[in-house]
Amino acid sequence: MPIFMNPFGKHDVSDFEGVYVPLAHAQRHPSVVAAHEHRKHSLTEDAPDEKNIESSPSPEHRYNAYTVEGLRAEIELDLSASGHDTPYDRKSKVINKAIQDIGMGKYQWSLFVLCGFGWLADNMWLQGVALTLPGLTATFGPSETLVRYTTCATFVGLCLGASFWGVASDVIGRRLAFNATLFIAGVFGCAVGGGNTWVGTCGLFAALGVGVGGNGWRYMNITLGAITLVMFGCRFFLFHLYESPKFLLSRGRQAEAVATVHGVAFRNKKTTWLSEEILNDIGGTAVVEEKQQLSVSEIMKRNLEKFSTQRIKPLFATWELGLMTCLVWFCWTTIGMAYPLFNAFLPQYLANSSSEQPTAPSIIYRNYAITSIVGVPGSLIAYYTVNIKYLGRKGTIAISTLITGVLVFCFTISSDPDFQLGFTCLEAFFQNIMYGVLYAYFRSVVNRMYQKYSTPEVFPAPYRGTGTGIASCLNRIAGLCAPIVAVNAGQTNPKAPIYASGGLFLAAFVAMCFFPIETRDKESL
């Protein structure tokens, strides 16, 4: 393939010769077939009544993964748990099966790296804002506490961006949204370096946040903006991102959706059984394409349905499940505020560590860099400790959160720069262990709770998405409130935001101790 590819190119199945194979001769992914068999047997065991016995298929009509009838059986079982049964939903699930059968390959690994650019930009700019605060105070004159509203402006942009792009990607397509976010962050990141007033700079930081959810600070932001634009260039020009096939289906572009899956298989040097004939056989013919296409209002409705009472109520179906849901939300909220209360203003804390005179900017940046580097191995350690017997996910996240909270308090014991550097390094190390488990554990523990209490009909997948979606929303709101707390508490006692951060980490630890389940060596639904 050429180095520079048309990022807006459309494709046809004829562009990828040798990719299609009939379903009867296809290579289904073993995990897909095994998952269907497991779910089918689970449903049979949960409801062994006479009706099920009488309707059991005869030997000649048993499930066969290499026939359209067998594929339809997989789709029917998935639909029973989804809450939606339209031509779009049926065809979407067929496409999901086809992509799962292709498996992980070159295309997904390339996408994995490019998605990492987004996470890199998100973290890089949060650290960049923190490093900019002392420079803004020196340049524009806002007090050390008042300038923290800059971080608040950034979090406003992050919240708006997270809300907007999630819905917009369903309207304008994933490909455009995927590339536009880094472009916006890069452009406004460079523009921050030219801010003439503090309020104007805050506005630019807010706009920058939409793209992401005198002391040298201008050059730093211009450099970070340039790095972000380079990452955008890699996404836009060096990697050909196919549009999401499910988005294409929602817009009535079925042929392009099939071609996209063929393109993924071609990049991975694999084959696929997906064709328009199979889609029409299971989801309805192309004649009903108008019904298949989702309007913008329907897309918005489906996004909002995730937070409806019908989705939230099952999270409290039992006393223990309701407790688990509340604990998960509480931990996401407390950590969402505790993290920025300490880390978002760490350069300020380091700058004022000496009681005699402010620490030189070069020392601040050096210590901040050391702290960030020392924290990196934490995620790798978490990968190992989550599989240790008697420790597992629950023990790893609880212990690391406890140590993080204690170390935050220890930071305030002495004003010696070397002393504080040592404790910030340790705090960053254990904090990364905590975050290494945070997302995966909370999601898997919720999945296990739902699996424990009910069958897929009672707790379908959308409810699990609702639980974690609300947790993420609470995390963002708490992060938005953190600068406001830091400004008002810091006016009374400069160390008050640090105490609040440590207390919130310890509160999260207490909640984690009451988690009723360990997910080590257990498969989630």
Side-chain angles (χ1 to χ4, degrees), residues 446-476:
V446 173
N447 287 345
R448 286 296 300 167
M449 288 293 293
Y450 296 165
Q451 184 179 17
K452 175 181 177 182
Y453 282 109
S454 60
T455 63
E457 284 94 341
V458 180
F459 278 110
Y463 302 148
R464 299 198 296 268
T466 298
T468 53
I470 292 176
S472 298
C473 180
L474 293 172
N475 183 272
R476 288 291 192 183

Side-chain angles (χ1 to χ4, degrees), residues 158-192:
L158 288 171
C159 291
L160 292 175
S163 304
F164 172 76
W165 289 113
V167 177
S169 62
D170 289 332
V171 178
I172 65 176
R174 272 66 162 178
R175 181 164 58 178
L176 181 57
F178 185 71
N179 290 318
T181 49
L182 276 187
F183 178 75
I184 292 173
V187 169
F188 283 101
C190 291
V192 164

